[in-house]
Amino acid sequence: MSNVSAKELQQQEMSQQEEVKKPKDGADILVQALHDQGVDIIFGYPGGAVLQIYDAMYRNPIRHILTRHEQGAIHAAEGYARVTNKPGVIIATSGPGATNLVTGIADAMIDSLPLVIFTGQVATSVIGTDAFQEADIMGITTPITKHNYQVQDVRDIPRIVQEAFHIANTGRKGPVVIDFPKNVSQTLFTEGDMPETPEEIYLPGYQPNCKPNFLQIQKAIQALTLAKKPLVLAGAGVLFAEAQEELTEFVEKYKLPIINTLLGLGSIHGSHELFYGMAGMHGTVTANDAITKCDLLINIGARFDDRLTGNLATFAPNATIVHIDIDPAEIGKNVPTDIPIVADAKEALNALLKKDFEGPDTSAWIDYLNAQDREFPLWYDEDPHEIMPQQALKAIHRITNGDAIVTTDVGQHQMFAAQYYGLNNSHSWVTSGGLGTMGFGFPAAIGAQFAKPDKKVISICGDAGFQMTAQELSLLKEFNLPVKIVILNNSCLGMVRQWQETFYEERYSSSLMPIQPDFVKLADAYGIKGYLIEKPEELEDTLTEAILSDEPVLIDLRIKQLTSVYPMVAPGKGLHEMIGVKKL
């Protein structure tokens, strides 16, 4: 029997009615729209133009992660988006808050990462007057977003939010900015007047094609049946389409050798017998040789960027090119395409798998590639006194069995990780490819760990790049995030130094960094356990203890400074002109 009296029930009912009638503002409508989109986490940094929104998040709780810089927020959101394959959400204030996001927006655009970014803006009445903390974020971000909005009418908020998430996460994925003037967030509504989310999204100018053209699939099949040296190149589009299983089934069914782009790593198991590694500037000899000698190249979800192709005049000179891509703008842009297929990678692969046809005999071709793989493996010379970065990456792979989520910054360590950390799982490789953004790796690991709290997340950084976003160490302590930071410390800008050594006669102009912080003490200052590894004999045991722990750790791993990433395709050279090749 209830102990609540009739009077108390009446008072509760009146209180609820008052709450319903209580005016709500644009900020409340925005937060409700985020809840409606299933947003479970937002990365951001508050400021004057977005305080109304932050107050609404306080009243209608939604998980918010206060990073220590807006750049940290957007890179964390990128890491979240990469491993979940759904939009990361960011909020920043107007002016410098918004402009501090620009690098991350450009990074997400070129790497096709779905983000929805909310930027504060000054009141509409003073836009264009150079008001305090005003910046034309619409003009600034137009070239680096899929789309951007500035909310002018509070009634448009549910529709705009719904459209933004749809645009960010369909077709070729990418970032969408919503600029939010302060007075719009403050506009009041009563419950009966609140705008509703449209039942359907109506965007007649945006209709991305997902399904392949039947005739083009037939042409691809015919080309495959005639090929003697076919090759599959898989990019990140396979991962965005969740087509890893279909890709594996396709190459296994027709015994097709497969290679990856940098961002496509993880689309097939790293130890698969038909996988010959990453192609491009720092790809394997076998992968680049396969491109040069193949007579059919089936590109699935990659954009033929310059770091992959090298000199276009000598790229796949004997091959019929089949290019499957969700973005028609990429087909034929860099490499002439014989059989274009505009489609989602999963849809295209399913269409190919549905057709029962006699595949080519690839046995001699695979025998050749296997022989190349044995003769020209990845290599490095061990040093009894100093730790080689390749040696460290192999140890990390052994300790984690290839099952960790790995994030990287940009530079030599990024390429070493791509070469030596064979991925067992999809959505486990988080790196900045197209823009090459230093400072990306560590906050991206934070976003990945929030997204996958039960996964081992390892952030492999250089000593220079780590210092660009090191302030985010606060989050590891605040949320006890068990991210493992491995700093491959060579006291220099490794890739810059390598290029100066190779192409500028060892003139190391502003690439050596003799003064570095004590990273172990820095970790301790944030209340995080730090390890220093200086000698080869310390490597295995210390890495094992640190990586297998259940707490956040930072590892200052001192590596040999004068080490280069090989093999390498020099600028302007073709994939068949690699340097640093060693034959066993």
Side-chain angles (χ1 to χ4, degrees), residues 20-192:
V20 168
K21 293 178 182 178
K22 182 181 178 181
K24 295 191 176 183
D25 57 31
D28 289 311
I29 296 168
L30 171 60
V31 172
Q32 184 57 54
L34 293 173
H35 280 293
D36 292 344
Q37 291 298 322
V39 173
D40 55 4
I41 191 168
I42 298 174
F43 302 92
Y45 205 101
V50 291
L51 285 183
Q52 197 79 7
I53 297 171
Y54 273 80
D55 193 50
M57 288 194 289
Y58 184 88
R59 298 194 307 270
N60 187 10
I62 189 167
R63 193 179 195 193
H64 177 272
I65 304 303
L66 173 63
T67 58
R68 300 314 191 248
H69 192 284
E70 290 90 353
Q71 185 180 1
I74 196 161
H75 292 329
E78 287 185 276
Y80 176 93
R82 175 69 76 183
V83 301
T84 62
N85 209 17
K86 66 180 186 179
V89 182
I90 311 99
I91 184 169
T93 195
S94 63
T99 58
N100 280 342
L101 298 175
V102 168
T103 296
I105 295 171
D107 188 90
M109 183 65 176
I110 199 166
D111 282 353
S112 306
L113 291 176
L115 300 180
V116 178
I117 303 125
F118 296 91
T119 55
Q121 186 54 273
V122 299
T124 54
S125 60
V126 294
I127 288 177
T129 68
D130 292 332
F132 177 66
Q133 291 193 333
E134 179 185 359
D136 179 13
I137 202 65
M138 296 289 286
I140 291 169
T141 63
T142 293
I144 54 171
T145 53
K146 278 191 76 175
H147 194 58
N148 57 18
Y149 297 86
Q150 187 175 81
V151 184
Q152 297 289 328
D153 188 334
V154 70
R155 298 179 187 277
D156 291 333
I157 293 171
R159 173 186 61 81
I160 287 174
V161 171
Q162 183 186 49
E163 289 177 2
F165 277 84
H166 174 72
I167 292 169
N169 208 37
T170 55
R172 180 176 179 176
K173 301 185 181 192
V176 177
V177 164
I178 302 177
D179 199 36
F180 223 92
K182 186 173 183 178
N183 61 303
V184 174
S185 67
Q186 295 172 329
T187 301
L188 294 176
F189 273 96
T190 57
E191 185 73 16

Side-chain angles (χ1 to χ4, degrees), residues 242-253:
E242 300 286 3
Q244 306 84 257
E245 291 184 8
E246 289 81 0
L247 176 69
T248 302
E249 182 181 352
F250 178 62
V251 298
E252 287 179 347
K253 183 176 181 179

